mmCIF file with all atom_site columns, all heavy atoms in Angstrom:
data_model
loop_
_atom_site.group_PDB
_atom_site.id
_atom_site.type_symbol
_atom_site.label_atom_id
_atom_site.label_alt_id
_atom_site.label_comp_id
_atom_site.label_asym_id
_atom_site.label_entity_id
_atom_site.label_seq_id
_atom_site.pdbx_PDB_ins_code
_atom_site.Cartn_x
_atom_site.Cartn_y
_atom_site.Cartn_z
_atom_site.occupancy
_atom_site.B_iso_or_equiv
_atom_site.pdbx_formal_charge
_atom_site.auth_seq_id
_atom_site.auth_comp_id
_atom_site.auth_asym_id
_atom_site.auth_atom_id
_atom_site.pdbx_PDB_model_num
ATOM 1  N N   . SER A 1 21 ? 157.294 42.878 109.540 1.00 36.00 ? 98  SER A N   1
ATOM 2  C CA  . SER A 1 21 ? 156.300 43.882 110.084 1.00 36.00 ? 98  SER A CA  1
ATOM 3  C C   . SER A 1 21 ? 156.406 43.960 111.589 1.00 36.00 ? 98  SER A C   1
ATOM 4  O O   . SER A 1 21 ? 156.008 44.977 112.176 1.00 36.00 ? 98  SER A O   1
ATOM 5  C CB  . SER A 1 21 ? 154.875 43.585 109.613 1.00 36.00 ? 98  SER A CB  1
ATOM 6  O OG  . SER A 1 21 ? 154.511 42.345 110.037 1.00 36.00 ? 98  SER A OG  1
ATOM 7  N N   . SER A 1 22 ? 156.744 42.904 112.241 1.00 35.00 ? 99  SER A N   1
ATOM 8  C CA  . SER A 1 22 ? 156.788 42.862 113.668 1.00 35.00 ? 99  SER A CA  1
ATOM 9  C C   . SER A 1 22 ? 158.178 43.038 114.183 1.00 35.00 ? 99  SER A C   1
ATOM 10 O O   . SER A 1 22 ? 158.328 43.055 115.451 1.00 35.00 ? 99  SER A O   1
ATOM 11 C CB  . SER A 1 22 ? 156.197 41.556 114.180 1.00 35.00 ? 99  SER A CB  1
ATOM 12 O OG  . SER A 1 22 ? 156.953 40.475 113.660 1.00 35.00 ? 99  SER A OG  1
ATOM 13 N N   . SER A 1 23 ? 159.199 43.086 113.343 1.00 34.00 ? 100 SER A N   1
ATOM 14 C CA  . SER A 1 23 ? 160.523 43.166 113.811 1.00 34.00 ? 100 SER A CA  1
ATOM 15 C C   . SER A 1 23 ? 160.899 44.673 114.067 1.00 34.00 ? 100 SER A C   1
ATOM 16 O O   . SER A 1 23 ? 160.273 45.495 113.445 1.00 34.00 ? 100 SER A O   1
ATOM 17 C CB  . SER A 1 23 ? 161.501 42.545 112.778 1.00 34.00 ? 100 SER A CB  1
ATOM 18 O OG  . SER A 1 23 ? 161.422 43.299 111.569 1.00 34.00 ? 100 SER A OG  1
ATOM 19 N N   . TYR A 1 24 ? 161.884 44.812 114.910 1.00 30.00 ? 101 TYR A N   1
ATOM 20 C CA  . TYR A 1 24 ? 162.360 46.205 115.220 1.00 30.00 ? 101 TYR A CA  1
ATOM 21 C C   . TYR A 1 24 ? 163.172 46.724 114.062 1.00 30.00 ? 101 TYR A C   1
ATOM 22 O O   . TYR A 1 24 ? 163.940 46.064 113.441 1.00 30.00 ? 101 TYR A O   1
ATOM 23 C CB  . TYR A 1 24 ? 163.245 46.112 116.499 1.00 30.00 ? 101 TYR A CB  1
ATOM 24 C CG  . TYR A 1 24 ? 163.938 47.427 116.838 1.00 30.00 ? 101 TYR A CG  1
ATOM 25 C CD1 . TYR A 1 24 ? 163.245 48.472 117.375 1.00 30.00 ? 101 TYR A CD1 1
ATOM 26 C CD2 . TYR A 1 24 ? 165.278 47.565 116.496 1.00 30.00 ? 101 TYR A CD2 1
ATOM 27 C CE1 . TYR A 1 24 ? 163.930 49.667 117.672 1.00 30.00 ? 101 TYR A CE1 1
ATOM 28 C CE2 . TYR A 1 24 ? 165.909 48.753 116.799 1.00 30.00 ? 101 TYR A CE2 1
ATOM 29 C CZ  . TYR A 1 24 ? 165.243 49.797 117.408 1.00 30.00 ? 101 TYR A CZ  1
ATOM 30 O OH  . TYR A 1 24 ? 165.927 50.997 117.703 1.00 30.00 ? 101 TYR A OH  1
ATOM 31 N N   . MET A 1 25 ? 162.925 48.047 113.755 1.00 35.00 ? 102 MET A N   1
ATOM 32 C CA  . MET A 1 25 ? 163.596 48.612 112.620 1.00 35.00 ? 102 MET A CA  1
ATOM 33 C C   . MET A 1 25 ? 164.582 49.618 113.242 1.00 35.00 ? 102 MET A C   1
ATOM 34 O O   . MET A 1 25 ? 164.241 50.587 113.968 1.00 35.00 ? 102 MET A O   1
ATOM 35 C CB  . MET A 1 25 ? 162.642 49.431 111.734 1.00 35.00 ? 102 MET A CB  1
ATOM 36 C CG  . MET A 1 25 ? 163.320 50.021 110.490 1.00 35.00 ? 102 MET A CG  1
ATOM 37 S SD  . MET A 1 25 ? 162.103 50.722 109.410 1.00 35.00 ? 102 MET A SD  1
ATOM 38 C CE  . MET A 1 25 ? 161.303 49.194 108.772 1.00 35.00 ? 102 MET A CE  1
ATOM 39 N N   . ASP A 1 26 ? 165.820 49.378 112.874 1.00 39.00 ? 103 ASP A N   1
ATOM 40 C CA  . ASP A 1 26 ? 166.915 50.250 113.365 1.00 39.00 ? 103 ASP A CA  1
ATOM 41 C C   . ASP A 1 26 ? 166.821 51.602 112.777 1.00 39.00 ? 103 ASP A C   1
ATOM 42 O O   . ASP A 1 26 ? 166.680 51.771 111.535 1.00 39.00 ? 103 ASP A O   1
ATOM 43 C CB  . ASP A 1 26 ? 168.212 49.565 112.925 1.00 39.00 ? 103 ASP A CB  1
ATOM 44 C CG  . ASP A 1 26 ? 169.438 50.290 113.550 1.00 39.00 ? 103 ASP A CG  1
ATOM 45 O OD1 . ASP A 1 26 ? 169.263 51.476 114.021 1.00 39.00 ? 103 ASP A OD1 1
ATOM 46 O OD2 . ASP A 1 26 ? 170.444 49.633 113.697 1.00 39.00 ? 103 ASP A OD2 1
ATOM 47 N N   . PRO A 1 27 ? 166.745 52.664 113.574 1.00 36.00 ? 104 PRO A N   1
ATOM 48 C CA  . PRO A 1 27 ? 166.684 53.993 113.060 1.00 36.00 ? 104 PRO A CA  1
ATOM 49 C C   . PRO A 1 27 ? 167.748 54.380 112.061 1.00 36.00 ? 104 PRO A C   1
ATOM 50 O O   . PRO A 1 27 ? 167.556 55.271 111.204 1.00 36.00 ? 104 PRO A O   1
ATOM 51 C CB  . PRO A 1 27 ? 166.831 54.895 114.297 1.00 36.00 ? 104 PRO A CB  1
ATOM 52 C CG  . PRO A 1 27 ? 166.359 54.034 115.432 1.00 36.00 ? 104 PRO A CG  1
ATOM 53 C CD  . PRO A 1 27 ? 166.809 52.655 115.015 1.00 36.00 ? 104 PRO A CD  1
ATOM 54 N N   . SER A 1 28 ? 168.859 53.661 112.166 1.00 37.00 ? 105 SER A N   1
ATOM 55 C CA  . SER A 1 28 ? 169.870 53.938 111.166 1.00 37.00 ? 105 SER A CA  1
ATOM 56 C C   . SER A 1 28 ? 169.551 53.580 109.757 1.00 37.00 ? 105 SER A C   1
ATOM 57 O O   . SER A 1 28 ? 170.181 54.060 108.803 1.00 37.00 ? 105 SER A O   1
ATOM 58 C CB  . SER A 1 28 ? 171.178 53.208 111.509 1.00 37.00 ? 105 SER A CB  1
ATOM 59 O OG  . SER A 1 28 ? 170.933 51.779 111.450 1.00 37.00 ? 105 SER A OG  1
ATOM 60 N N   . HIS A 1 29 ? 168.544 52.789 109.611 1.00 35.00 ? 106 HIS A N   1
ATOM 61 C CA  . HIS A 1 29 ? 168.045 52.401 108.283 1.00 35.00 ? 106 HIS A CA  1
ATOM 62 C C   . HIS A 1 29 ? 166.893 53.214 107.772 1.00 35.00 ? 106 HIS A C   1
ATOM 63 O O   . HIS A 1 29 ? 166.365 52.992 106.653 1.00 35.00 ? 106 HIS A O   1
ATOM 64 C CB  . HIS A 1 29 ? 167.591 50.922 108.270 1.00 35.00 ? 106 HIS A CB  1
ATOM 65 C CG  . HIS A 1 29 ? 168.734 49.995 108.730 1.00 35.00 ? 106 HIS A CG  1
ATOM 66 N ND1 . HIS A 1 29 ? 169.822 49.784 107.884 1.00 35.00 ? 106 HIS A ND1 1
ATOM 67 C CD2 . HIS A 1 29 ? 168.905 49.212 109.796 1.00 35.00 ? 106 HIS A CD2 1
ATOM 68 C CE1 . HIS A 1 29 ? 170.642 48.862 108.477 1.00 35.00 ? 106 HIS A CE1 1
ATOM 69 N NE2 . HIS A 1 29 ? 170.142 48.596 109.656 1.00 35.00 ? 106 HIS A NE2 1
#
Side-chain angles (χ1 to χ4, degrees):
S98 63
S99 58
S100 62
Y101 171 77
M102 184 173 290
D103 190 337
S105 64
H106 299 292

